[in-house]
Amino acid sequence: MIVEPELSCRELVELVTDYLEGGLSRRERVRFESHLAGCEGCTAYIEQMRAGIAAAGTLTEEDLDPAARDALLAVFRDWRQNR
Amino acid sequence: MAVMPSPAELQLLADLRAGDEASFARLVDLYGPSMLRIARSIVGSRSIAEEVVQEAWLGVLRGLDRFEGRSSLKTWIFRILTNVAKTRAYREGRSVSFAELEADEGPSVDPSRFEPAFGHWADPPHGLPESRLLAGELRQVVAAAIERLPSSQRTVISLRDVEGWSSEEVCNALELSETNQRVLLHRARTKVRRAIEEYVEGRR
């Protein structure tokens, strides 16, 4: 049996996005998760990463300026007439 | 990677080509805010971004009769937008490159925080405090951190984490490889996390 060397915290932080994106192979994922299960520092690191992603998801959309929207609809009418 | 237009998009396309203004207005309301956000992250200013969005819609209308449906309508619209925005940024003297990544930015975490021999935390991050106030504060911290990112990273994190697009949609709209998309996302999220940690540590 091949024993995989344990992932270090320094290595894990570089793999977080691959992990969250589902981009790790099965073997790499098992290695990642078994490190995580025993490491408070890395667990906190991922928690902060996820908190950032969640907070980004609550940022509000910028609406188009109503005047800009009206101008666009005018452009559309113009286009319709001249094609 | 070629996602074809959905049946709903084909219907919309037919309505637009027939000159139906209500359909155009719906499309503007649906994609306008995202277009503005992307344009702003590429060109840097809100007022130029508004011009870019206008110009992109003009490009969409001009190309409507020639659109062959080899990608989804959404992808096609955002590609036009991205191209208009990049051209404009270039003219304004800003360089925006999605295809070539900037030089390696170094490790995600300051190496001095790990013990040198085994690479385990010497100075580990701490769990976030339980606080109802924190969520509101974090929004501001995250918004400010995103603003400070280089434009390619800001555009990718805005689409993925603010707008909730899939990685495939982002790759298509920005004409990015999956690998580069992930590198840009990683760099962006890493800086946002760092800002959160600095904020929470400063608040303790």
Side-chain angles (χ1 to χ4, degrees):
Chain A
M1 192 179 114
I2 303 159
V3 179
E4 301 250 4
E6 205 206 323
L7 203 62
S8 71
C9 307
R10 188 165 49 204
E11 289 168 319
L12 184 138
V13 299
E14 304 300 341
L15 295 175
V16 173
T17 305
D18 289 336
Y19 173 69
L20 294 176
E21 293 281 284
L24 295 181
S25 69
R26 219 181 87 85
R27 221 183 59 192
E28 290 170 318
R29 198 178 69 236
V30 168
R31 218 168 143 234
F32 189 99
E33 285 173 346
S34 63
H35 175 104
L36 207 56
C39 181
E40 265 181 52
C42 287
T43 301
Y45 187 89
I46 300 227
E47 187 197 347
Q48 290 171 351
M49 200 76 148
R50 288 192 197 273
I53 297 168
T58 68
L59 298 178
T60 35
E61 301 256 333
E62 295 177 64
D63 283 324
L64 280 186
D65 181 48
R69 186 180 183 274
D70 289 345
L72 274 175
L73 297 184
V75 165
F76 182 79
R77 286 191 290 269
D78 209 42
W79 166 80
R80 187 171 56 189
Q81 229 165 26
N82 294 314
R83 61 205 280 242
Chain B
M1 275 267 247
V3 184
M4 308 304 267
S6 64
E9 281 191 335
L10 288 174
Q11 182 58 53
L12 181 60
L13 201 57
D15 293 342
L16 290 172
R17 283 173 174 160
D20 180 36
E21 187 177 330
S23 299
F24 181 70
R26 262 205 314 282
L27 197 61
V28 166
D29 291 335
L30 182 63
Y31 295 144
S34 308
M35 290 169 80
L36 193 58
R37 186 186 291 283
I38 299 176
R40 204 167 60 80
S41 63
I42 295 174
V43 298
S45 97
R46 161 99 192 198
S47 62
I48 298 177
E50 289 190 347
E51 290 172 25
V52 164
V53 170
Q54 296 272 348
E55 199 184 324
W57 280 115
L58 209 62
V60 167
L61 291 176
R62 286 197 192 115
L64 208 52
D65 289 327
R66 279 175 287 119
F67 174 64
E68 289 174 353
R70 285 201 210 125
S71 65
S72 75
L73 185 62
K74 180 180 177 185
T75 296
W76 180 67
I77 291 174
F78 279 91
R79 266 197 200 152
I80 293 175
L81 173 83
T82 312
N83 285 325
V84 171
K86 282 185 195 163
T87 305
R88 184 63 189 265
Y90 184 75
R91 243 193 294 146
E92 304 278 332
R94 289 167 65 96
S95 98
V96 180
S97 170
F98 290 99
E100 300 159 48
L101 297 174
E102 302 89 7
D104 186 14
E105 295 196 342
S108 298
V109 174
D110 182 348
S112 72
R113 296 187 61 183
F114 301 105
E115 40 128 315
F118 299 104
H120 289 291
W121 291 105
D123 174 16
H126 303 286
L128 297 172
E130 291 281 338
S131 152
R132 279 199 299 143
L133 267 179
L134 188 64
E137 292 167 21
L138 284 191
R139 283 188 63 208
Q140 312 234 333
V141 171
V142 168
I146 291 175
E147 285 303 311
R148 288 193 301 269
L149 294 170
S151 65
S152 55
Q153 294 175 25
R154 187 169 61 225
T155 304
V156 169
I157 198 172
S158 294
L159 289 174
R160 290 297 312 279
D161 294 345
V162 181
E163 305 273 338
W165 286 27
S166 70
S167 59
E168 191 186 359
E169 287 176 312
V170 174
C171 290
N172 282 335
L174 302 180
E175 297 181 79
L176 261 181
S177 70
E178 174 67 43
T179 308
N180 285 6
Q181 191 263 161
R182 198 176 289 167
V183 170
L184 291 169
L185 183 65
H186 180 75
R187 290 177 180 176
R189 283 180 176 174
T190 296
K191 287 174 195 157
V192 168
R193 186 217 65 87
R194 202 177 298 150
I196 288 177
E197 182 176 44
E198 279 165 12
Y199 178 76
V200 172
E201 290 305 316
R203 194 175 175 275
R204 236 174 250 278

